[in-house]
C-alpha cells in the first residue's frame, strides 16, 4: 500500500491554487515555471519531498538551465532520490520531444540559403552532445534538407569520419549536395589542421560522384565557424 506521506505529496492532493495541472488548464503552459512543468511529469513526490521539490532537484542537475538539463540522461536523473526509472524515462522523453521540435522548425524552412540558417539547424542537433560527433546534412538541388546522419562519435577531444561512408549515405539519400559538420564540446570553433585536411579529402572524394560539398560548419555552444564563409571551400 502506498505510504500515506507519499499520497499527501501527490499533486492531486495539493491545494487547487498549487496544482500545476489545473494551473496549466486555466492559464496555459506558459504560465508555469520550469519546476511546475517538471512536477507534472514526475506526478507524485516521496515521503519527505513533493513533486515540486523533486523537480527543483532535477533542475539543479542542469544548473537551472534547460539546455544544460538536456545533456543529462536517465541515469543522471535517477541520482535524485525519489526519481525511479519510470520518472527518469518520462523526463528524458519530454526533453527529446523539445529537441526534435526545435529541429523540425528549422526543417520547415523552404531551403537553407546561408551558413547561418544551416548552423541554427545544426545547433538543435548538436547542442546537447558532450562528446565530439561528426554529422552530415543531405540536401537536394534546391538546398532543402532531406535528412542528416551522425557519421561518427568520438571522445571529448575529437572524432573521425570515413569519406566512403559519407558518399554511400549521400547516394542512398539521393543528395546532390551535402554539408559537413562537427561540434567542439570545448566551445571553441577554430578548425584544426586535421579538420581542414579531412574537409579537403571529403570534398575531393565527393566530387568524383558529382556530389557538392557546400560547407563544413563547426558548432561550439552558441557560435559557429563556416569554412565557406572563411573561403576554405
Amino acid at each position: 500500500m502506498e505510504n500515506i506521506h507519499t499520497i499527501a505529496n501527490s499533486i492531486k492532493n495539493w491545494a487547487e491554487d498549487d496544482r500545476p495541472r489545473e494551473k496549466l488548464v486555466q492559464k496555459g503552459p506558459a504560465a508555469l515555471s520550469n519546476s511546475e512543468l517538471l512536477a507534472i511529469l514526475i506526478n507524485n513526490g516521496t515521503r519527505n519531498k513533493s513533486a515540486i521539490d523533486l523537480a527543483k532537484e532535477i533542475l539543479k542537475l542542469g544548473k537551472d538551465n534547460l539546455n544544460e538539463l538536456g545533456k543529462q540522461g536517465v541515469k543522471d536523473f535517477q541520482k535524485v532520490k525519489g526519481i525511479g526509472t519510470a520518472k527518469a524515462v518520462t523526463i528524458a522523453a519530454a526533453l527529446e520531444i523539445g529537441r526534435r521540435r526545435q529541429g523540425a522548425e528549422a526543417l520547415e524552412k523552404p531551403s537553407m540559403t546561408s551558413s547561418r540558417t544551416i548552423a541554427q539547424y545544426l545547433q538543435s542537433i548538436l547542442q546537447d552532445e558532450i562528446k565530439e560527433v561528426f554529422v552530415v546534412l543531405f540536401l537536394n538541388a534546391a538546398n532543402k534538407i532531406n535528412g542528416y546522419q551522425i557519421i561518427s562519435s568520438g571522445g571529448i577531444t575529437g572524432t573521425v569520419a570515413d569519406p566512403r561512408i559519407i558518399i554511400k549515405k549521400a547516394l542512398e539519400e539521393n543528395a546532390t549536395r551535402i554539408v559537413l559538420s562537427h561540434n567542439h564540446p570545448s566551445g571553441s570553433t577554430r578548425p584544426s589542421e586535421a579538420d581542414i585536411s579531412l574537409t579537403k579529402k571529403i570534398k575531393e572524394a565527393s566530387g568524383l560522384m558529382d556530389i557538392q560539398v557546400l560547407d563544413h560548419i563547426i558548432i561550439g555552444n552558441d557560435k559557429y565557424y563556416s569554412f565557406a564563409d572563411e573561403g576554405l571551400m
Side-chain angles (χ1 to χ4, degrees):
M1 182 178 293
E2 190 174 12
N3 188 289
I4 190 170
H5 294 285
T6 301
I7 295 175
N9 281 326
S10 176
I11 288 177
K12 65 183 180 182
N13 291 299
W14 295 0
E16 188 168 347
D17 289 344
D18 296 329
R19 295 178 188 172
R21 286 197 190 95
E22 282 74 4
K23 184 176 179 180
L24 187 150
V25 171
Q26 294 172 6
K27 300 181 179 180
L32 276 66
S33 66
N34 291 339
S35 58
E36 287 173 323
L37 290 170
L38 275 175
I40 292 176
L41 299 175
I42 293 170
N43 188 33
N44 59 275
T46 64
R47 178 173 182 172
N48 300 313
K49 298 176 183 178
S50 69
I52 286 285
D53 293 330
L54 292 176
K56 289 178 178 178
E57 289 191 40
I58 289 291
L59 286 170
K60 287 180 182 178
L61 294 175
K63 301 177 182 178
D64 293 317
N65 183 300
L66 290 179
N67 285 331
E68 289 298 316
L69 188 64
K71 298 177 182 180
Q72 309 300 312
V74 170
K75 291 183 179 179
D76 297 305
F77 302 141
Q78 288 179 295
K79 293 176 183 178
V80 175
K81 188 175 181 180
I83 299 296
T85 302
K87 288 181 173 62
V89 167
T90 299
I91 295 168
L95 290 168
E96 179 61 23
I97 287 172
R99 187 160 38 239
R100 293 187 185 188
R101 180 185 177 189
Q102 186 177 359
E105 288 174 350
L107 278 177
E108 289 175 357
K109 297 180 182 297
S111 63
M112 294 293 176
T113 56
S114 69
S115 61
R116 181 181 180 85
T117 56
I118 294 175
Q120 287 175 340
Y121 175 62
L122 288 166
Q123 187 72 41
S124 70
I125 298 172
L126 300 174
Q127 63 182 347
D128 295 333
E129 294 288 346
I130 60 175
K131 294 183 179 181
E132 188 169 306
V133 297
F134 197 99
V135 175
V136 178
L137 302 184
F138 304 103
L139 293 79
N140 59 25
N143 284 351
K144 174 73 176 180
I145 296 178
N146 292 336
Y148 72 90
Q149 178 77 40
I150 295 179
I151 301 299
S152 62
S153 178
I156 300 297
T157 58
T159 186
V160 294
D162 188 335
R164 294 171 298 180
I165 295 176
I166 294 172
I167 294 171
K168 180 176 182 292
K169 185 64 179 177
L171 293 172
E172 290 174 354
E173 294 287 340
N174 293 318
T176 58
R177 300 173 178 181
I178 61 175
V179 173
L180 313 175
S181 179
H182 72 281
N183 63 320
H184 281 176
S186 66
S188 169
T189 56
R190 182 179 297 277
S192 65
E193 289 299 322
D195 292 334
I196 296 172
S197 177
L198 179 61
T199 302
K200 182 178 179 180
K201 184 177 180 180
I202 295 173
K203 182 179 179 181
E204 291 175 351
S206 298
L208 297 175
M209 302 301 295
D210 292 326
I211 298 171
Q212 183 182 6
V213 181
L214 296 178
D215 204 348
H216 185 165
I217 295 178
I218 300 174
I219 299 294
N221 294 334
D222 58 350
K223 55 187 177 180
Y224 70 93
Y225 181 98
S226 165
F227 277 55
D229 289 352
E230 299 298 327
L232 296 178
M233 295 303 298

